[in-house]
Amino acid sequence: MAKQKVKKTGKELFFEYYQNLYGSRFDNLIDSLALEPKYFTYQYDEKSEKYFLDSGSVLAALCLPLENAENILDMCAAPGGKSLVIAKHMNKTANLTSNEYSKDRYIRLKKVVEEHLPEDVASRIKTTCFDGATWCKYFGEVYDAILLDAPCSSERHVLNDEKYLAQWTSSRVKSLAIKQWALLSSAYRVLKQDGYLLYSTCALAVEENDGVVSKLVKKFPNAKVLEIDFEKVYKEYADLPKAEKTQFGYHVMPDMTDGAGPLYFALIQKQ
């Protein structure tokens, strides 16, 4: 009688998948994900309420060029930390649309903008609740700069939640990569010529990071992936984490940054 094959648990599948991706680095990486994230205290000015977010997220948001941007979009903005970073560094005449598809998360986003920014700055931020993947059906090339922090595997949260870990399969990564591509291609279509698009995730899976950017480069010949000069960012915020270079972007990895990240980001220009 044939021996019945034992089905692997979600936890076993998870560990096997990322072990194959990261090899000898895997154990240290998993240990770092079990720790408290390295938070950064962000504040618009001394009078504004403090906001705490992963320092890798601050680094990524600061890498979106805003010098000549007047019309800016944060496509998947909740809970709002990156929108606060953009708001502090955008031009005094610029306008920011902070969008979130989830109604509950949109309510939180709206509250963060209202509570953590001066009234004159918050008045130039429009919070909306739409599906970013359909944005290109209603708008043309209207944004000078776009930040897309796409929903992702978020392995840190999965690893620290037994329920989600038990349910994990590699099909989750594939499904999210499809959603991320829909968002990224939509964002690129509403980006102005010569405009900048920063794509980011908090995923470890390459398929959700360089894999999605690779599709964009193949689909749109005028999509140029740019190298990032971090000198200006570190000059202003010296204690932000360093990022490792990947094929198309950069990755803040918690095992090398005292817990910051993971945070992947890539900067693209429509040329």
Side-chain angles (χ1 to χ4, degrees):
M1 187 175 179
K3 217 176 196 181
Q4 190 173 3
K5 190 174 181 181
V6 179
K7 186 178 180 182
K8 292 183 178 179
T9 65
K11 183 175 182 178
E12 289 172 329
L13 291 169
F14 179 93
F15 275 63
E16 185 178 275
Y17 181 88
Y18 290 99
Q19 173 81 68
N20 288 336
L21 272 183
Y22 288 98
S24 60
R25 186 177 185 175
F26 173 76
D27 289 338
N28 287 338
L29 193 55
I30 291 300
D31 288 344
S32 68
L33 289 173
L35 302 174
E36 187 75 11
K38 187 177 182 181
Y39 288 111
F40 187 94
T41 305
Y42 206 82
Q43 195 173 16
Y44 185 87
D45 56 29
E46 292 181 355
K47 296 179 181 179
S48 301
E49 188 174 336
K50 294 177 180 178
Y51 186 89
F52 302 94
L53 71 163
D54 191 295
S55 57
S57 295
V58 178
L59 177 66
L62 288 171
C63 289
L64 177 64
L66 298 174
E67 288 82 3
N68 300 309
E70 291 297 316
N71 200 16
I72 307 164
L73 170 65
D74 188 352
M75 184 174 269
C76 299
K82 292 186 181 70
S83 282
L84 298 183
V85 176
I86 292 173
K88 184 171 181 176
H89 291 84
M90 66 184 185
N91 297 332
K92 300 298 182 184
T93 55
N95 293 288
L96 169 64
T97 298
S98 292
N99 178 70
E100 175 55 47
Y101 182 44
S102 163
K103 187 62 182 292
D104 289 340
R105 285 168 60 81
Y106 161 75
I107 293 171
R108 184 181 176 190
L109 167 66
K110 190 174 177 64
K111 188 175 181 181
V112 165
V113 169
E114 292 171 350
E115 292 183 351
H116 293 268
L117 292 172
E119 189 175 342
D120 62 317
V121 178
S123 67
R124 291 187 284 118
I125 299 176
K126 180 181 179 182
T127 53
T128 57
C129 186
F130 296 108
D131 180 2
T134 66
W135 209 273
C136 58
K137 293 182 180 180
Y138 307 103
F139 299 95
E141 297 178 331
V142 295
Y143 294 102
D144 301 296
I146 299 174
L147 191 151
L148 169 58
D149 184 22
C152 67
S153 283
S154 189
E155 292 91 349
R156 182 190 287 275
H157 298 296
V158 172
L159 189 63
N160 291 301
D161 190 308
E162 289 297 330
K163 175 185 173 182
Y164 289 121
L165 189 58
Q167 296 171 347
W168 191 91
T169 68
S170 59
S171 62
R172 172 180 167 82
V173 175
K174 291 179 171 58
S175 176
L176 283 163
I178 292 170
K179 292 179 181 177
Q180 290 154 354
W181 165 244
L183 287 164
L184 182 57
S185 58
S186 177
Y188 190 76
R189 287 181 169 93
V190 298
L191 183 68
K192 286 183 181 179
Q193 295 294 319
D194 298 318
Y196 295 97
L197 166 60
L198 189 113
Y199 172 74
S200 70
T201 80
C202 57
L204 289 172
V206 178
E207 191 172 344
E208 299 180 48
N209 297 331
D210 278 345
V212 179
V213 177
S214 175
K215 288 185 70 174
L216 187 80
V217 174
K218 290 176 182 176
K219 173 74 174 178
F220 300 98
N222 64 338
K224 174 70 172 177
V225 178
L226 304 178
E227 297 284 327
I228 295 175
D229 182 359
F230 293 95
E231 185 178 351
K232 183 179 178 182
V233 175
Y234 291 127
K235 189 175 181 180
E236 185 175 2
Y237 300 99
D239 54 345
L240 287 179
K242 299 296 187 289
E244 303 172 19
K245 188 73 182 73
T246 68
Q247 182 182 3
F248 293 108
Y250 301 85
H251 216 167
V252 175
M253 299 293 278
D255 60 328
M256 300 298 289
T257 58
D258 295 325
L263 205 296
Y264 169 88
F265 56 99
L267 181 62
I268 301 138
Q269 186 178 32
K270 182 183 281 189
Q271 296 188 342

